[in-house]
Amino acid sequence: MQIIPYPNRSEWPALLARPTQSMANIEKAVAPILEQVQKEGDAALRALALKFDKIDLTEIAMPPATVAVAEASLTEELKAAIRQAYANIRKFHETQYQPVQKVETMSGVTCWRRSVGIEKVGLYIPGGSAPLFSTVLMLGVPAQLAGCKEIVLCTPSDHPAILYAAQLVGVTKIFRIGGAQAIAAMAYGTESVPKVYKIFGPGNQYVTAAKMLLAKEGVAIDMPAGPSEVAVYADGSAVPSFVAADLLSQAEHGADSQVLLVSTDKKFLASVNLTLSTQLEALPRKELARKAIENSKAILVEDEAEAIDLLNEYAAEHLILSVRNAEEICEKIINAGSIFLGNYTPESCGDYASGTNHTLPTNGHARAYSGVSLDSFVKKITVQHITPEGLKSLGPTVEAMAEAESLHAHKRAVSLRLSSLK
């Protein structure tokens, strides 16, 4: 990794920029795909599968027989691991239930809010060389807990672990489509794929662009979630080999991933670089990881305060704090998707099975977005009930405000009722 010593704050924006392509160029490539799917439906999905994936997609829906044999083809060890991850993720997300709380804002005026699961949701799981069955759990568990009636899964992969995880979380329909065309199919609906009300899931920059373009049309999405990234803040108490392993665990996602290492200790950065090179050579996906590392940086800063400022400006998807006072530093972080504390909390655990959700905002979007949670799959509906005595108390306030805004019908809706109570 390139070590950058004590950069001026004016250099931070350029140093922290993600290795992304021009979104305008990507959107130009994606927009015709969305239009084709909207106009041609299943025929477009078949044509695009042949064009981009070189697949003759005779069956768009995953054949039931394929799903049925998935469990039998997995080892007992992997199935046990998936079930354990499922249990942990479910346990953590169950705590996010919010019971109805009725609040009497004034005598006779009661307000409350209730959560209702989104009826139809779409989950996207990328294909490629890494079958992300863990993401099926991360998206499917909160959808299941929320009570979503229809959970649609689109993935170009038929990996049995994906299908097994889909069964665990109650996926109702699976379709063998990927890329921007899968996002379009769930957004518009086709002869085979039902239209959903909200779309979830990570993907490459084309998938992200599709989600963002559809959001402009009013389609609900989880968040902008593109190539994966991690930032590590480490001091002399950190273990160089641990930190190097954490950096590579993100770098192996793909060439467009990015890792960032921040420290006040120059010798430590050099030690990490040394073990990073050794560990890299042992990785089966070393060529992908190598390209990601080339886009990555190790930044030497003056002190802790500067490190915190830099990390908050970067707004990492994953942030590892391998420092002596990790919990204290954690309280000063205001921009991050998920934070990992100490030497024995590898980001990999959050990716798979600790319980927290790994679908997180990337590319600096952690400044305004949260990761996926139970809340992502529910709507909050407010309810209110006013008694006659409550209206007598509240009514004059509403009348005065409505009249001041020149909304006389609003005032009359209250005044008529008050008159009936005299």
Side-chain angles (χ1 to χ4, degrees), residues 1 11-20 227-233 247 250 256-262 292 295-297 299 306-320 333-338 361-368:
M1 291 175 68
E11 301 174 73
W12 287 6
L15 286 176
L16 302 180
R18 273 67 169 183
T20 56
S228 194
E229 61 195 34
V230 68
V232 180
Y233 174 36
L247 297 173
Q250 284 303 300
D256 54 0
S257 294
Q258 187 182 53
V259 300
L260 181 73
L261 175 58
V262 179
N295 291 323
S296 303
K297 301 172 181 71
I299 300 178
E306 189 172 53
I308 292 168
D309 287 349
L310 186 143
L311 292 168
N312 278 325
E313 181 159 335
Y314 184 64
E317 176 190 19
H318 308 97
L319 173 59
I320 299 173
I333 298 298
I334 58 173
N335 296 325
S338 192
T362 65
N363 199 24
H365 290 293
R367 298 184 190 97

Side-chain angles (χ1 to χ4, degrees), residues 3-9 11-12 15 263-267 269 298-303 306 310:
I3 297 177
I4 300 166
Y6 312 115
N8 189 282
R9 287 180 182 245
E11 301 174 73
W12 287 6
L15 286 176
S263 183
T264 57
D265 188 329
K266 187 175 182 180
K267 289 183 179 179
L269 293 180
I299 300 178
L300 182 65
V301 294
E302 292 283 357
D303 52 34
E306 189 172 53
L310 186 143

Side-chain angles (χ1 to χ4, degrees), residues 78-301:
L78 179 54
K79 285 188 287 189
I82 292 172
R83 289 194 299 269
Q84 182 65 70
Y86 171 82
N88 290 355
I89 296 163
R90 187 179 176 97
K91 185 174 184 178
F92 179 75
H93 287 73
E94 281 176 337
T95 67
Q96 296 165 15
Y97 277 121
Q98 293 182 330
V100 172
Q101 291 184 310
K102 292 189 175 183
V103 179
E104 193 171 44
T105 56
M106 59 192 302
S107 181
V109 180
T110 306
C111 303
W112 65 96
R113 189 171 72 158
R114 63 188 184 94
S115 298
V116 179
I118 299 170
E119 289 179 89
K120 300 178 181 182
V121 296
L123 316 182
Y124 179 70
I125 305 299
S129 57
L132 300 182
F133 57 86
S134 58
T135 305
V136 179
L137 299 177
M138 296 292 176
L139 299 177
V141 167
Q144 189 179 44
L145 290 173
C148 300
K149 293 179 180 177
E150 191 163 15
I151 305 174
V152 174
L153 173 64
C154 285
T155 179
S157 174
D158 60 358
H159 194 284
I162 288 179
L163 304 182
Y164 180 63
Q167 289 178 310
L168 280 179
V169 300
V171 166
T172 53
K173 295 178 181 177
I174 306 176
F175 298 96
R176 304 165 62 206
I177 49 177
Q181 59 268 32
I183 305 301
M186 291 188 285
Y188 299 127
T190 72
E191 297 91 331
S192 298
V193 184
K195 179 179 179 178
V196 301
Y197 299 154
K198 190 172 182 179
I199 297 173
F200 296 80
N204 60 23
Q205 294 176 49
Y206 294 91
V207 167
T208 301
K211 289 168 67 178
M212 298 300 285
L213 283 172
L214 289 164
K216 294 177 185 178
E217 297 182 24
V219 177
I221 64 169
D222 49 359
M223 71 189 81
S228 194
E229 61 195 34
V230 68
V232 180
Y233 174 36
D235 61 16
S237 70
V239 181
S241 62
F242 292 0
V243 171
D246 288 331
L247 297 173
L248 288 172
S249 74
Q250 284 303 300
E252 73 173 352
H253 272 293
D256 54 0
S257 294
Q258 187 182 53
V259 300
L260 181 73
L261 175 58
V262 179
S263 183
T264 57
D265 188 329
K266 187 175 182 180
K267 289 183 179 179
F268 178 82
L269 293 180
S271 297
V272 171
N273 248 347
L274 187 63
T275 187
L276 187 74
S277 299
T278 303
Q279 290 187 30
L280 176 63
E281 291 306 314
L283 287 178
R285 296 167 66 91
K286 65 182 178 182
E287 293 310 318
L288 284 176
R290 193 190 312 278
K291 291 176 182 177
I293 292 296
E294 289 171 1
N295 291 323
S296 303
K297 301 172 181 71
I299 300 178
L300 182 65
V301 294

